[in-house]
Amino acid sequence: MTTMVAERLRPFGTTIFTEMTLLAQKHGAVNLAQGFPDFDGPEFVKQAGVEAIRAGHNQYARMFGLPALNAALARRWRERTGLEVDPDAQITVTSGCTEAIAAAFLGLVNPGDHVILIEPFYDAHRAGVALAGATPRIVTLRPPAPGREEEGFSLDLDELARAFRAEPRPRAIVVNTPHNPTGKVFTREEFETIASLCVERDVLAITDEVYEDLTYDAARPHVHLATLPGMAERTVTLSSLGKGFSLTGWKIGWAIAAPALTKGVRAAHQFLTFATATPLQLGAIAAFEHGSQYLRALCAQFKAQRDELSDALRGLGLRVFASHGTYFVMADFSPIAAKLGVEDDRAFCRVLTERAGVTAIPPSVFYENPAHGRHLVRFAYCKKPETMREAIARLGRLPR
Ligand code: GLN
């Protein structure tokens, strides 16, 4: 049958997260594929959401966010960046960061514009470019040389400069840090280069910072691109509640940007979802007011789980690349590919599910040229300690 899917979305099919979660369910495998916690968010935040429903906060919220949430986000932004923003002119609350990504693309990028994407990219960034009718210009993160896995992926600054300086002038760059799927936290040097190229070529930056609270190494702190010289007026900073507070199903996200850019984001947001769930916005305020202890404990848990999973994968013979943040660690399985009789990442994930009972994500879908990712695999470590223990025990079923 001929497909009915619109041409601009036809290349994307069903997301890899849905596909791999279904595969895990079919085989009763431990799901280290889709990145979501298998435990609940903090009681005090849930309680605030429940109370808001019971108290009758159930009609449309203000289109760009409940005044109290916008104010809380402006306070949080000032504490983190030292930057003052007008909560009513510069902050838009969205239904998760995924909606904010779509709103930023649809509201600020014209058909035919070029947008720099750093690959491997999160699939929604690539789809956002397609929704806007824009053209991606790809810069590829380099895996470290053998023996230097602890350095993690790096950005080739010359390749980046060429992408900025090529014609036509790009409209925007997407910067995702901490980075999904690699776990990379971009370095200050990388940020300085990105910022100076944005200023030189008058390019917008759309940053996806949903893992900003989940970094694990003091030497690689999270940096907000908007704080670099010349960037406050040209950066759209996107983030969300769900990752830091283990409430991915709440779908509370936001965009922070200069008033002129915010107008673009809202022009799209008002027709995508109009407004975001009212009681959950009230719950989010509670998270920001009382959340620091929760965040500290979650980081300590995920850091330990990152280390245990990375050790287990190294023990199997994989090359494991440093993950300084997020829910994820990437590895190169080529050293054991022949032993398992697999040629690419999809086959590896299938064999891992069938023979070990653990499911991961094949990252080739995060590359414009899938061949660049066919030797890689992404694992999530954002699960309960007992889930991680079970997964690690099962990985031991693979031949050594
Ligand atoms: N962000 C999550 C991940 O990378 C999944 C999101 C989704 O399922 N769409 O695994």
Side-chain angles (χ1 to χ4, degrees), residues 43-160:
E43 201 50 45
F44 73 95
V45 184
K46 292 194 297 178
Q47 195 57 38
V50 168
E51 278 165 20
I53 290 177
R54 292 212 185 286
H57 297 289
N58 299 302
Q59 306 307 328
Y60 293 130
R62 185 174 64 168
M63 179 272 280
F64 54 89
L66 288 181
L69 178 54
N70 290 52
L73 285 165
R75 262 197 311 280
R76 177 180 178 276
W77 186 241
R78 185 176 56 232
E79 282 160 15
R80 288 172 184 224
T81 64
L83 299 172
E84 290 287 346
V85 289
D86 175 345
D88 294 338
Q90 296 187 247
I91 298 179
T92 308
V93 176
T94 59
S95 298
C97 187
T98 302
E99 194 230 333
I101 292 165
F105 276 110
L106 292 170
L108 293 166
V109 174
N110 284 304
D113 281 349
H114 285 228
V115 175
I116 300 175
L117 290 182
I118 297 170
E119 76 172 3
F121 41 69
Y122 183 54
D123 63 346
H125 301 152
R126 179 65 187 84
V129 172
L131 285 175
T135 301
R137 191 174 292 170
I138 305 292
V139 175
T140 306
L141 289 178
R142 308 273 169 214
R148 306 178 72 162
E149 286 76 10
E150 273 314 302
E151 292 172 18
F153 283 71
S154 60
L155 188 58
D156 180 332
L157 300 180
D158 295 325
E159 188 186 337
L160 183 75

Side-chain angles (χ1 to χ4, degrees), residues 63-254:
M63 179 272 280
F64 54 89
L66 288 181
L69 178 54
N70 290 52
L73 285 165
R75 262 197 311 280
R76 177 180 178 276
W77 186 241
R78 185 176 56 232
E79 282 160 15
R80 288 172 184 224
T81 64
L83 299 172
E84 290 287 346
V85 289
D86 175 345
D88 294 338
Q90 296 187 247
I91 298 179
T92 308
V93 176
T94 59
S95 298
C97 187
T98 302
E99 194 230 333
I101 292 165
F105 276 110
L106 292 170
L108 293 166
V109 174
N110 284 304
D113 281 349
H114 285 228
V115 175
I116 300 175
L117 290 182
I118 297 170
E119 76 172 3
F121 41 69
Y122 183 54
D123 63 346
H125 301 152
R126 179 65 187 84
V129 172
L131 285 175
T135 301
R137 191 174 292 170
I138 305 292
V139 175
T140 306
L141 289 178
R142 308 273 169 214
R148 306 178 72 162
E149 286 76 10
E150 273 314 302
E151 292 172 18
F153 283 71
S154 60
L155 188 58
D156 180 332
L157 300 180
D158 295 325
E159 188 186 337
L160 183 75
R162 281 195 298 278
F164 268 91
R165 291 180 180 142
E167 297 300 335
R169 183 173 64 83
R171 170 67 169 166
I173 179 170
V174 179
V175 183
N176 169 212
T177 186
H179 182 258
N180 181 4
T182 62
K184 171 184 175 62
V185 175
F186 282 68
T187 64
R188 191 154 272 282
E189 188 200 3
E190 290 168 335
F191 275 115
E192 282 166 0
T193 305
I194 294 169
S196 70
L197 287 164
C198 283
V199 171
E200 174 192 317
R201 293 285 279 161
D202 193 18
V203 170
L204 299 178
I206 299 171
T207 69
D208 176 341
E209 307 186 13
V210 297
Y211 297 99
E212 64 184 299
D213 288 322
L214 301 177
T215 61
Y216 312 116
D217 301 294
R220 283 289 185 107
H222 178 65
V223 176
H224 299 276
L225 186 57
T227 61
L228 274 84
M231 292 309 288
E233 65 265 30
R234 62 177 70 255
T235 304
V236 184
T237 302
L238 311 180
S239 192
S240 75
L241 176 81
K243 306 298 191 287
F245 288 94
S246 314
L247 293 164
T248 59
W250 276 33
K251 302 297 291 179
I252 299 281
W254 56 86

